[in-house]
Amino acid sequence: MPLSPWVARQLSKRFNDAHCFVVEPINRMEFKVKDGKMDRLVNLSKKTCSCCEFQIDLLPYSHAFATISKCKREAVEFYVDYYKTTVLMEGYAGSIRSIGHPSEWDTPPHVKQFVVLPSPWRGQARNPRRRRIPSAGKGS
């Protein structure tokens, strides 16, 4: 798959939501999207939407999907590379070396002399206990 399973699920939900929107072109790259509640402005060249979801996730949101399908363009053009599985696999392609047991480490003597202790434990802060004043009808 070109995208991770989580991203594929998110995009399929957003794509299904995009069918009920009305898209009106403003110019070649800007569109007005009516979703029933509010009108949104989508700019495909800047990859922005007035709902800010396109900018936050860096994936096309439902408003952007509606405009992408209106322009008859591929949605893959608007995905950020780090959601693609090829980039994910490249991150794990390098070898990971074991650091071994601490007794095998070559630690300089000036570093070995430092003793690092945890900070002192002080307990959890609490509100002071208050005495309850019973109401007039209740006993002590």
Side-chain angles (χ1 to χ4, degrees):
M1 288 182 69
L3 297 171
S4 68
W6 176 84
V7 174
R9 282 192 306 274
Q10 293 295 319
L11 293 177
S12 67
K13 288 178 195 173
R14 295 173 183 185
F15 183 75
N16 291 335
D17 293 342
H19 293 297
C20 61
F21 298 149
V22 177
V23 180
E24 297 174 358
I26 297 172
N27 59 35
R28 250 184 57 179
M29 288 298 186
E30 291 182 314
F31 298 86
K32 181 178 180 181
V33 181
K34 297 180 180 182
D35 65 359
K37 300 174 198 164
M38 293 184 69
D39 294 349
R40 307 287 184 183
L41 294 174
V42 176
N43 188 324
L44 292 180
S45 64
K46 294 180 182 176
K47 297 182 183 179
T48 59
C49 180
S50 59
C51 72
C52 296
E53 295 290 337
F54 201 178
Q55 299 91 293
I56 292 171
D57 287 346
L58 301 176
L59 283 171
Y61 204 66
S62 53
H63 305 117
F65 267 121
T67 58
I68 291 168
S69 62
K70 177 82 172 178
C71 294
K72 296 185 169 96
R73 294 178 69 179
E74 291 292 322
V76 178
E77 299 174 39
F78 301 95
Y79 302 158
V80 177
D81 286 342
Y82 61 76
Y83 285 119
K84 297 178 181 173
T85 53
T86 54
V87 174
L88 180 67
M89 290 172 57
E90 286 174 8
Y92 291 98
S95 59
I96 300 172
R97 298 181 188 175
S98 173
I99 60 170
H101 192 269
S103 63
E104 300 170 354
W105 296 351
D106 185 24
T107 310
H110 69 279
V111 174
K112 284 185 180 180
Q113 70 183 0
F114 290 111
V115 177
V116 180
L117 298 173
S119 59
W121 185 78
R122 296 187 330 183
Q124 189 174 10
R126 295 185 185 147
N127 290 335
R129 182 176 278 191
R130 297 180 185 167
R131 292 185 185 227
R132 186 168 179 244
I133 300 171
S135 60
K138 296 189 178 183
S140 58

